[in-house]
Amino acid sequence: MAEAPEKNLALDIVRITEAAALASARWLGRGDKEAGDNAAVHAMRVSFSTLHIDGTVILGEGEKDNAPMLANGEKVGKGVGLGLDVAVDPVEGTSLLAYGRPNAISVVGVSSRGSMFNPGPSFYMQKLVVSHEARNVIDLDAPIKVNLNSVAKALGKSVQDLVVFVLDKPRHQRLIEKIRAAGARIQLQTDGDVIGALMAVDPHSDVDIMMGTGGTPEGVLSACAIKGMGGQMLARLDPQSYVEKEAINEAGIDLRDVLTVNDMVRGDDCFFAATGISGGDFLRGVRYSARYAVTHSLVLRGKTGTLRYVESYHNMDRLSKFSAVQY
């Protein structure tokens, strides 16, 4: 049965990621991770307060990053209207921002209340992310070479033409060796596994697949976008310490379970926005001129799969006269 277009919340939440990006971009390359993150958190809090939603933060700032808190369980919005689960990362890649490196972004994902996977005390998960064309050919437990061959075939490429996004971490030494042995190319980045997942599913990106262990909150947040773009992420909780493993067991979460995007975000009523802070190949960073600050964002609605790239020109003189956000 045909439906009239509904309100696209992604066009509201992109104002939140824009505000966080504008506030934190002033700290680009200044070596202060906490100051940049603090600026983004404050901007997000203020911007959320203007929305007519009844939101609960399921995945926010927290213990792993010793960050200023947009804490799990915190209420956001005016407390009226749609009941939503909310995932935020005011600055994904605080080190990237602090040291002036590319691909720091600000990210928000929302879904209908009760639909977002809550990983509890889990900080890390193993992830395998691919685009729509390869969504049915991957297996988290298959050898690296088998997955690469399957993805290459699905994309109509040779393995040698694939680009694999991997976080440049000591835990990935063997993974990197196996990818190289299979003949695929690798894009190594020090931080930013949300942007790695986005690049793996975005048709404009050179990245074909993301592999490796990254943040659990970032995985669920990425699922909001991957779901709408028709890609797939297979994931399994991958604790990096005994304390984390015991906490997950005590929470009753099975470490053997393989999660899909449909497990992490149930239903299609989800929305996603990301705004570039420090720039890069995927989203351009905040750029300043005499009158304007220019932002570049990705906006997605899960139900329709509509993907928008938004370039916004913010008149900083006018904004500074009334905005509670310190730009």
Side-chain angles (χ1 to χ4, degrees):
M1 187 174 182
E3 298 179 17
E6 299 171 342
K7 181 178 177 62
N8 188 348
L9 276 174
L11 297 176
D12 289 325
I13 64 174
V14 73
R15 293 177 55 221
I16 297 173
T17 58
E18 286 175 346
L22 288 168
S24 60
R26 296 292 189 185
W27 294 94
L28 177 69
R30 294 172 63 182
D32 193 334
K33 292 170 58 175
E34 291 191 5
D37 204 29
N38 257 315
V41 169
H42 174 71
M44 273 200 172
R45 278 184 168 142
V46 171
S47 301
F48 263 118
S49 70
T50 68
L51 297 187
H52 286 79
I53 63 170
D54 180 12
T56 303
V57 176
I58 302 298
L59 296 158
E61 295 283 88
E63 182 182 347
K64 177 167 72 80
D65 297 317
N66 192 28
M69 302 294 277
L70 255 171
N72 295 355
E74 184 172 329
K75 303 294 289 186
V76 294
K78 290 183 174 293
V80 296
L82 290 173
L84 297 174
D85 289 345
V86 177
V88 304
D89 202 342
V91 179
E92 204 240 351
T94 53
S95 293
L96 301 178
L97 172 63
Y99 299 110
R101 296 169 183 154
N103 291 329
I105 59 175
S106 180
V107 194
V108 171
V110 301
S111 62
S112 55
R113 175 155 293 161
S115 64
M116 191 176 288
F117 173 65
N118 188 339
S122 173
F123 295 151
Y124 292 95
M125 61 164 43
Q126 179 188 2
K127 306 171 192 177
L128 178 57
V129 183
V130 294
S131 64
H132 175 81
E133 293 78 8
R135 69 193 187 280
N136 294 322
V137 302
I138 54 173
D139 181 347
L140 195 62
D141 293 317
I144 301 301
K145 185 175 182 179
V146 170
N147 274 319
L148 292 176
N149 283 328
S150 298
V151 171
K153 183 177 180 181
L155 297 180
K157 296 183 175 186
S158 68
V159 171
Q160 289 73 23
D161 292 334
L162 293 179
V163 175
V164 186
F165 181 101
V166 182
L167 289 176
D168 191 5
K169 305 291 185 182
R171 62 179 176 265
H172 289 150
Q173 181 178 349
R174 287 296 307 278
L175 171 63
I176 291 167
E177 291 172 356
K178 290 178 180 180
I179 295 171
R180 287 172 174 164
R185 299 177 293 161
I186 303 176
Q187 184 176 130
L188 288 172
Q189 296 203 28
T190 57
D191 300 276
D193 57 329
V194 171
I195 202 162
L198 294 176
M199 292 169 74
V201 296
D202 188 273
H204 296 96
S205 169
D206 294 331
V207 171
D208 298 297
I209 182 169
M210 175 187 173
M211 289 180 165
T213 293
T216 304
E218 289 84 351
V220 179
L221 183 50
S222 301
C224 292
I226 296 167
K227 191 178 183 74
M229 295 169 80
Q232 182 58 281
M233 172 166 55
L234 301 181
R236 180 189 288 117
L237 302 188
D238 188 15
Q240 298 297 295
S241 70
Y242 176 79
V243 172
E244 182 184 359
K245 182 176 181 179
E246 286 301 295
I248 294 170
N249 287 330
E250 289 175 8
I253 302 173
D254 194 336
L255 288 166
R256 298 169 298 180
D257 288 346
V258 175
L259 304 170
T260 69
V261 289
N262 288 330
D263 296 315
M264 287 179 264
V265 182
R266 297 181 295 277
D268 295 327
D269 201 14
C270 59
F271 306 86
F272 178 89
T275 300
I277 303 173
S278 63
D281 295 334
F282 185 65
L283 286 173
R284 294 178 64 184
V286 178
R287 178 167 52 89
Y288 296 96
S289 67
R291 293 184 60 199
Y292 296 100
V294 185
T295 57
H296 295 262
S297 304
L298 177 152
V299 181
L300 187 82
R301 183 184 181 195
K303 186 174 183 178
T304 62
T306 301
L307 174 66
R308 291 178 170 91
Y309 290 94
V310 179
E311 182 178 75
S312 302
Y313 288 73
H314 309 268
N315 189 310
M316 302 307 285
D317 288 338
R318 293 188 181 183
L319 275 174
S320 64
K321 290 177 181 178
F322 66 87
S323 178
V325 177
Q326 298 298 312
Y327 294 120

